[in-house]
Amino acid sequence: MIAYKKHLELIGYQPSTIYSLLYVAKEYLDYTAQKPCLMTDYLIYLSQRKNKNNPTKALSKAQLNMHIYGLKKYFIYLERVENKILTDSFLSYKITQKPSST
């Protein structure tokens, strides 16, 4: 994560944006380390996850889109800077409705 943080700083992201992008990437890495899954499964998990600031509510569409944006940025970094080949980084869309768990 240190290299990713430096990369974000070098390309000019604001500290608050860097914090958010690192948070999203770390949450994804922590989740998949405990429970390897496909990206669609992770998106379903996010759509059902409680909002950490207000545990009575789920994440909003805007928050889900922020997570998708953060993961896109992280995957682009992995592919272009770290030269990693990713097989499950299809995140080229926005959530218009929450994914169903069916």
Side-chain angles (χ1 to χ4, degrees):
M1 283 285 126
I2 293 170
Y4 182 46
K5 180 181 180 186
K6 288 182 181 182
H7 169 76
L8 294 171
E9 290 170 343
L10 283 172
I11 58 176
Y13 280 98
Q14 295 296 315
S16 60
T17 304
I18 292 171
Y19 175 83
S20 296
L21 293 173
L22 291 173
Y23 179 85
V24 166
K26 184 175 179 339
E27 183 178 4
Y28 170 75
L29 293 173
D30 289 347
Y31 182 84
T32 57
Q34 293 175 13
K35 182 181 177 184
C37 63
L38 295 173
M39 188 56 59
T40 52
D41 298 326
Y42 184 70
L43 291 175
I44 290 169
Y45 155 75
L46 281 177
S47 72
Q48 297 170 347
R49 177 170 84 64
K50 297 295 181 193
N51 184 325
K52 292 180 180 178
N53 294 328
N54 186 352
T56 62
K57 295 184 178 183
L59 295 178
S60 68
K61 290 178 193 176
Q63 291 167 318
L64 289 170
N65 284 328
M66 189 274 302
H67 276 267
I68 290 171
Y69 173 79
L71 289 172
K72 280 198 250 187
K73 289 295 177 189
Y74 182 61
F75 290 157
I76 289 169
Y77 164 78
L78 290 176
E79 289 177 337
R80 294 185 184 164
V81 178
E82 298 287 329
N83 296 316
K84 296 197 177 183
I85 299 170
L86 304 173
T87 58
D88 194 19
S89 62
F90 68 92
L91 298 171
S92 60
Y93 65 93
K94 285 188 171 185
I95 298 268
T96 53
Q97 61 186 32
K98 293 184 178 184
S100 64
S101 57
T102 54

